[in-house]
Structure formats: structure tokens, C-alpha cells
Amino acid sequence: MARLGGLNVLDTGQVREDIELALQTTLEFGVQGVDHPCCGNMGRAEVLLASGRRLSRPELEEAARERAWGVVSRAERTDGFVLHPMLPKQVDNPSFFQGTAGIGYELLRMARPDLLPSVLLWE
């Protein structure tokens, strides 16, 4: 995200290569582990969404929405979001970066990225 956010200041071949490597890694990772935007599935979906918008690559935006849908589908199947790998799903965390508020915000952003800024880019 830092490389993506800094493109207007430093746009070199190495920076673009770093971004592409990060995107390929993110695409390969899929939906697994925790769901929150800090360092979980919704954060990876945000990387794809922000990259798709900034780099004019709609396929990345679509991949972001697919990941978000995967998070919601898994939560429906398992009765909740995964917020911490060592705690049961009944333990709620309403916070933003590592909780359900952030998951909710990212889901809204997936629907209307033109209205809601990327908090991970500090827009």
C-alpha cells in the first residue's frame, strides 16, 4: 500500500515491479486466516481494490469484490467473522482495524469506492 500510495511522488520501474509482485502474492493468497482490514482478508481485498482503481485495472477491483464476498460467505457458513486466530468466534471486537467496524466499512467501500476513501492509504 505504501508503494501504491507513493506513486505520485516516486514512480520507477522498481516501484512498479514491487507493486506487481505484491499484487500477485495477494491474488494467490485467497481467503484464509483473519478477516479484519488491518492484516487480514479485508485488508488484502482493499489492496486489490485500491490498486485496481489507481492503476486502472478493473480485474483487480473484481478480484477484491470476490475476496470480500468470500469473507461474507465464510462468515455465513461458520456463524461469524474470524477476528483472532486463537479466540472463538463468539468473542467480538467492534474496533476498526482489527474488528467488525473495519470489516463493515470495507464491505461498504467495495460497493461504493467512489464515495468512501481508502483508510489504509489515509485518503
Side-chain angles (χ1 to χ4, degrees):
M1 290 298 277
R3 293 280 199 206
L4 183 67
L7 276 177
N8 60 339
V9 176
L10 182 63
D11 189 350
T12 67
Q14 182 62 53
V15 169
R16 294 279 177 160
E17 189 177 313
D18 291 349
I19 291 170
E20 192 57 39
L21 179 60
L23 290 172
Q24 291 308 311
T25 302
T26 301
L27 287 166
E28 291 171 11
F29 199 78
V31 174
Q32 57 182 298
V34 296
D35 294 326
H36 52 68
C38 175
C39 52
N41 291 309
M42 294 309 291
R44 288 187 294 278
E46 175 60 33
V47 166
L48 296 172
L49 181 66
S51 297
R53 293 181 61 77
R54 292 215 173 185
L55 302 173
S56 299
R57 291 177 57 186
E59 75 278 6
L60 294 174
E61 292 183 61
E62 182 58 33
R65 289 183 184 92
E66 288 173 8
R67 298 303 189 285
W69 179 248
V71 169
V72 171
S73 296
R74 183 177 74 171
E76 286 177 340
R77 283 192 317 273
T78 62
D79 293 324
F81 295 107
V82 179
L83 301 176
H84 192 283
M86 304 301 284
L87 296 175
K89 288 187 182 129
Q90 296 79 10
V91 176
D92 189 32
N93 179 354
S95 71
F96 192 91
F97 284 106
Q98 294 186 335
T100 53
I103 293 170
Y105 181 87
E106 287 297 335
L107 291 172
L108 289 170
R109 182 162 150 69
M110 293 294 152
R112 293 301 305 268
D114 55 319
L115 293 179
L116 297 170
S118 172
V119 295
L120 299 184
L121 282 174
W122 293 87
E123 291 182 325

